[in-house]
Amino acid sequence: RGEPKTLWGSSEPRPPPAGPGQPSPQQRTETLGFYESDRGRKKKRSLSDLSLLRFISAELTRGYFLEHNEAKYTERRERVYTCMRIPKELEKLMFFGIFLCLDAFLYVFTLLPLRVFLAMFRFITLPCYGLRDRRLLQPAQVCDMLKGVILVICYFMMHYVDYSMMYHLIRGQSVIKLYIIYNMLEVADRLISSFGQDILDALYWTATEPKEKKRAHIGVIPHFFMAVFYVFLHAILIMVQATTLNVAFNSHNKSLLTIMMSNNFVEIKGSVFKKFEKNNLFQMSNSDIKERFTNYVLLLIVCLRNMEQFSWNPDHFWVLFPDVCMVVASEIAVDIVKHAFITKFNDITADVYSEYRASLAFDLVSSRQKNAYTDYSDSVSRRMGFIPLPLAVLLIRVVTSSIKVQGVLAYVCVVLFYCGLISLKVLNSIVLLGKSCQYVKEAKMEEKLFNPVLTATPGKPAGKQQGTFKSTQGISTDENGSTSVTNQPGHQKENMPSLLVTSNSDQFLTTPDGEEKDISQDSSELKHRSAKKDLLEIDRFTICGNRID
């Protein structure tokens, strides 16, 4: 019953007999046993390979090849080279920008009084020449007169501010209070500067606006009083800053000066770990230029006040000199570290600083043209946030109170000093103009000078703008082959758009009232435009500080 058993005593079917050339079942069994024994020996050998000595030996002799990720390591090396180039490129920009601020600052002391004198002479002798033009004074002369009157009024108002009382009042405060006060003054200085240039621009435009247009302002006199109040308030603010810095210099343990210097390093924390585009970095660079130049003037005021207290003893100057160098060195170090890490984290090359320098040079060159729409000092004010009038008022007040002029020889020295300032201003302007032309040529921005883009009417078609341009001005070539923009004879329209690239903050100076409808109609098209702006359209306050939209 059941299945028949095989020869091996099991119910499995009997394997077929081995054919010719095939191993027998017994040979197969022997071969399988050999493989199993060999696998066991290999397993034992692999377990012996995982010893501690072999692991250490493998860690010591393990190799790798960097060329397998060449692009990554090349990028890291370029970042290192970029950080090494940042100090040089940044200081080039700072050096050029500081001399731009110096040129605008010296203009207030040297050429502005002469221009005011010429404007007054023209106004007095106007009946002798007759009313050939519809204007009593040219717009530039009106602006110069307003600047001169504001400067004189604020100077006499500063005489009612007691510097000694302010010094002792601040000195009586604790160190932590002075530290907080100094930080508040820095924030207030930036806020007031952003609004102050708008006040001055509104005054200039209100005073020079053509009379044919519909009146849309409150009048010249209210704007004038607003400008006087702003300049006086800003001058007092800078005076308190200088007084606080003077207290820090004269403190016994220098603790306040150390705390104020450490405030610069706190600025690194607030700037480095933010996202920056090229335009934002340009604004920060302009702000650093303005801040560094203002600190130099504040240090000059501190040195003058201290030298006066010690009867102009030259030995006391060498006592102040190490502290002055320490403040300047900390400012430079903070700027270098801040810009180096910002460019590293945002993948910005060091060549961007040459573009910034060319943009500043373009402002200087364009302000020298016949069709310039603003004075150069005002252009620097809008671009960097540096307004020279309040700082000039304070410096004149400190110098006149610290230096006593008595005798004929003293007045002769004052005249010679004034002539020296004029010579310095002219020399600085000539060198800056030459360097600016060089930077503009290197950046290939000459076409924007002679064939500018009309941006005063963004909603107007290009054909209309070119037609207006051809009907009012032309391009002439002199004997040497150089091209220049010249005015055609005849009366120009008052509502002619500006021929230079203007920023958004300057459009109210050049935008005609008659084209407001075109701008409102094409406002929908402007919304779809790219948010990125050209460097020439970015000023200090177009985007507030370091805020990223």
Side-chain angles (χ1 to χ4, degrees):
R1 295 179 183 177
E3 297 180 357
K5 296 185 179 179
T6 61
L7 295 176
W8 290 275
S10 62
S11 60
E12 295 181 359
R14 185 175 180 179
Q22 293 183 359
S24 62
Q26 185 178 1
Q27 292 177 349
R28 292 178 183 175
T29 304
E30 293 177 356
T31 303
L32 183 60
F34 173 78
Y35 284 147
E36 289 179 353
S37 62
D38 184 61
R39 188 182 301 172
R41 286 194 301 267
K42 288 184 177 181
K43 187 175 181 180
K44 293 179 180 179
R45 188 179 303 170
S46 62
L47 291 176
S48 63
D49 290 342
L50 296 178
S51 63
L52 180 60
L53 294 178
R54 286 185 177 273
F55 177 77
I56 295 176
S57 175
E59 289 294 321
L60 294 178
T61 59
R62 179 170 51 87
Y64 48 88
F65 299 94
L66 299 181
E67 58 266 20
H68 292 169
N69 199 353
E70 181 180 355
K72 175 182 177 181
Y73 291 106
T74 303
E75 181 184 0
R76 297 298 173 86
R77 183 173 61 187
E78 291 300 325
R79 287 184 180 180
V80 174
Y81 292 163
T82 300
C83 290
M84 294 173 62
R85 289 179 56 195
I86 288 299
K88 179 181 177 181
E89 298 297 330
L90 177 62
E91 290 306 315
K92 283 183 180 180
L93 176 64
M94 290 289 177
F95 192 75
F96 183 72
I98 286 174
F99 274 95
L100 291 180
C101 293
L102 179 63
D103 190 68
F105 192 59
L106 290 177
Y107 171 81
V108 179
F109 300 98
T110 55
L111 299 185
L112 181 61
L114 298 179
R115 290 175 63 93
V116 171
F117 176 76
L118 292 177
M120 294 178 62
F121 180 77
R122 171 185 169 86
F123 184 77
I124 294 174
T125 59
L126 191 61
C128 301
Y129 297 97
L131 295 175
R132 296 179 182 179
D133 299 330
R134 291 183 297 176
R135 297 178 181 269
L136 298 178
L137 295 174
Q138 295 298 324
Q141 293 177 330
V142 174
C143 295
D144 293 335
M145 292 282 291
L146 290 174
K147 291 178 184 178
V149 173
I150 291 174
L151 198 66
V152 172
I153 292 177
C154 292
Y155 169 73
F156 284 106
M157 292 175 64
M158 288 295 292
H159 279 283
Y160 293 96
V161 180
D162 192 352
Y163 184 87
S164 301
M165 183 186 67
M166 183 182 298
Y167 175 82
H168 291 288
L169 180 63
I170 295 177
R171 190 174 185 180
Q173 307 298 323
S174 61
V175 174
I176 189 64
K177 284 185 179 180
L178 293 180
Y179 174 71
I180 296 174
I181 290 174
Y182 193 79
N183 289 336
M184 293 173 61
L185 291 175
E186 285 188 348
V187 176
D189 178 59
R190 296 181 181 182
L191 296 178
I192 293 179
S193 297
S194 64
F195 191 62
Q197 188 59 39
D198 294 338
I199 293 176
L200 295 177
D201 287 338
L203 172 64
Y204 302 152
W205 175 237
T206 305
T208 60
E209 187 178 9
K211 304 302 180 183
E212 290 82 1
K213 293 186 177 182
K214 181 180 179 181
R215 177 170 176 175
H217 53 80
I218 60 177
V220 178
I221 295 179
H223 280 286
F224 177 77
F225 282 112
M226 289 171 60
V228 171
F229 177 74
Y230 154 71
V231 174
F232 177 68
L233 182 63
H234 199 177
I236 292 180
L237 183 66
I238 301 175
M239 188 176 185
V240 176
Q241 279 185 295
T243 306
T244 308
L245 189 61
N246 194 7
V247 171
F249 269 77
N250 293 329
S251 60
H252 298 289
N253 53 3
K254 306 293 182 181
S255 59
L256 179 59
L257 184 61
T258 305
I259 293 176
M260 292 170 61
M261 289 174 55
S262 65
N263 188 37
N264 294 331
F265 292 92
V266 176
E267 184 181 355
I268 297 177
K269 178 183 176 182
S271 303
V272 166
F273 302 105
K274 291 183 179 180
K275 181 182 178 181
F276 275 84
E277 299 293 339
K278 188 169 66 172
N279 293 338
N280 301 104
L281 185 60
F282 183 43
Q283 291 175 319
M284 172 173 282
S285 302
N286 291 334
S287 177
D288 292 338
I289 293 172
K290 175 252 181 183
E291 182 180 356
R292 190 178 294 189
F293 182 79
T294 305
N295 288 337
Y296 291 162
V297 178
L298 292 180
L299 290 174
L300 176 62
I301 293 174
V302 169
C303 291
L304 288 175
R305 297 299 301 177
N306 279 275
M307 293 296 292
E308 179 200 4
Q309 297 299 323
F310 287 88
S311 302
W312 301 97
N313 186 7
D315 295 335
H316 184 68
F317 174 76
W318 298 110
V319 176
L320 296 174
F321 188 73
D323 296 334
V324 173
C325 293
M326 186 170 55
V327 173
V328 174
S330 66
E331 188 73 24
I332 295 175
V334 167
D335 289 340
I336 290 176
V337 173
K338 180 174 63 176
H339 283 265
F341 281 98
I342 286 176
T343 53
K344 178 183 182 297
F345 292 151
N346 296 275
D347 293 330
I348 301 176
T349 61
D351 297 331
V352 73
Y353 292 101
S354 61
E355 299 180 16
Y356 298 161
R357 191 173 58 212
S359 179
L360 296 178
F362 184 87
D363 289 341
L364 177 59
V365 176
S366 61
S367 65
R368 305 291 179 179
Q369 288 186 317
K370 295 181 180 180
N371 55 0
Y373 65 93
T374 183
D375 186 66
Y376 169 67
S377 60
D378 295 330
S379 177
V380 173
S381 301
R382 298 186 191 98
R383 181 74 72 178
M384 300 183 183
F386 171 70
I387 306 176
L389 285 181
L391 201 59
V393 169
L394 178 61
L395 187 59
I396 294 174
R397 171 70 175 86
V398 172
V399 170
T400 53
S401 62
S402 301
I403 302 175
K404 305 299 180 182
V405 180
Q406 296 177 354
V408 180
L409 183 60
Y411 285 100
V412 172
C413 292
V414 171
V415 174
L416 293 178
F417 181 74
Y418 180 71
C419 294
L421 283 180
I422 294 179
S423 303
L424 178 61
K425 169 67 174 66
V426 173
L427 179 61
N428 188 34
S429 299
I430 293 174
V431 174
L432 283 178
L433 186 59
K435 285 293 184 180
S436 299
C437 294
Q438 177 184 350
Y439 296 150
V440 170
K441 289 181 180 179
E442 291 176 356
K444 298 180 181 180
M445 301 170 64
E446 294 174 309
E447 296 181 356
K448 294 184 179 181
L449 287 173
F450 301 108
N451 298 318
V453 180
L454 300 179
T455 59
T457 57
K460 192 175 181 180
K464 294 183 180 180
Q465 294 177 350
Q466 293 177 358
T468 307
F469 174 74
K470 291 180 181 179
S471 63
T472 54
Q473 296 202 1
I475 300 179
S476 63
T477 306
D478 58 8
E479 297 177 356
N480 298 329
S482 61
T483 306
S484 61
V485 180
T486 56
N487 297 328
Q488 297 293 340
H491 297 285
Q492 297 181 356
K493 295 182 180 181
E494 299 294 341
N495 58 352
M496 183 187 69
S498 174
L499 296 178
L500 295 179
V501 179
T502 58
S503 62
N504 294 338
S505 61
D506 301 333
Q507 287 186 4
F508 73 94
L509 289 173
T510 55
T511 303
D513 294 339
E515 295 175 352
E516 291 180 354
K517 296 182 180 180
D518 296 337
I519 297 176
S520 61
Q521 292 175 357
D522 296 338
S523 60
S524 60
E525 298 179 1
L526 294 177
K527 295 180 181 179
H528 301 286
R529 292 183 180 179
S530 176
K532 294 184 179 180
K533 301 180 180 180
D534 190 79
L535 285 178
L536 297 177
E537 301 180 8
I538 300 296
D539 58 21
R540 173 64 183 88
F541 304 106
T542 303
I543 304 174
C544 298
N546 303 330
R547 187 186 66 189
I548 305 300
D549 294 334

